[in-house]
Amino acid sequence: MNWLVLIASGVMESVWAIALGKSEGFTHAGPTVVFVVALVLSMLGLSFAVKTLPTGTAYAVWVGIGAALTVIYGMVTGSEPASLARILLIAGLVGCIIGLKLVGGAEA
């Protein structure tokens, strides 16, 4: 359960990061509201997960999921360049996230 919450929290990290960019310095209400809600949900999920998962592992997974999804979103929408090298690096990041889960610590 904690891993599922952590994954959802990582997805919310990506949502707030994307919304932050779209808020244009908090001058657009819609993206600003999405940013705040996603940020709160993301932090709540992370704080729940670190009750039983090692903090370093949970944080690395949370950041990795958020970063990977944010970059993938940027490449899909065309706001960031897509290249084979970038795709392979993101795949490596995802592989490291999976590896942290597999060698995990406290709870499976």
Side-chain angles (χ1 to χ4, degrees), residues 44-70:
L44 287 172
L46 179 60
S47 68
F48 176 82
V50 298
K51 288 180 182 177
T52 57
L53 300 175
T55 301
T57 299
Y59 182 71
V61 169
W62 178 76
V63 167
I65 291 169
L69 290 177
T70 303

Side-chain angles (χ1 to χ4, degrees), residues 1-14 38-53 57-59 61-63 65-66 69 101 107-108:
M1 178 64 162
N2 293 359
W3 282 101
L4 292 176
V5 170
L6 184 61
I7 291 167
S9 180
V11 171
M12 286 292 103
E13 187 207 3
S14 178
L39 179 66
V40 169
L41 291 173
S42 181
M43 291 297 160
L44 287 172
L46 179 60
S47 68
F48 176 82
V50 298
K51 288 180 182 177
T52 57
L53 300 175
T57 299
Y59 182 71
V61 169
W62 178 76
V63 167
I65 291 169
L69 290 177
K101 163 64 171 117
E107 179 183 292

Side-chain angles (χ1 to χ4, degrees), residues 4-107:
L4 292 176
V5 170
L6 184 61
I7 291 167
S9 180
V11 171
M12 286 292 103
E13 187 207 3
S14 178
V15 170
W16 70 250
I18 294 165
L20 178 63
K22 291 183 178 288
S23 75
E24 297 185 22
F26 303 118
T27 59
H28 290 75
T32 298
V33 170
V34 170
F35 165 79
V36 171
V37 170
L39 179 66
V40 169
L41 291 173
S42 181
M43 291 297 160
L44 287 172
L46 179 60
S47 68
F48 176 82
V50 298
K51 288 180 182 177
T52 57
L53 300 175
T55 301
T57 299
Y59 182 71
V61 169
W62 178 76
V63 167
I65 291 169
L69 290 177
T70 303
V71 171
I72 290 168
Y73 176 85
M75 288 192 300
V76 168
T77 61
S79 63
E80 293 199 30
S83 68
L84 179 59
R86 287 173 63 92
I87 292 167
L88 291 174
L89 288 167
I90 291 170
L93 178 60
V94 171
C96 289
I97 292 167
I98 293 168
L100 283 170
K101 163 64 171 117
L102 293 176
V103 299
E107 179 183 292

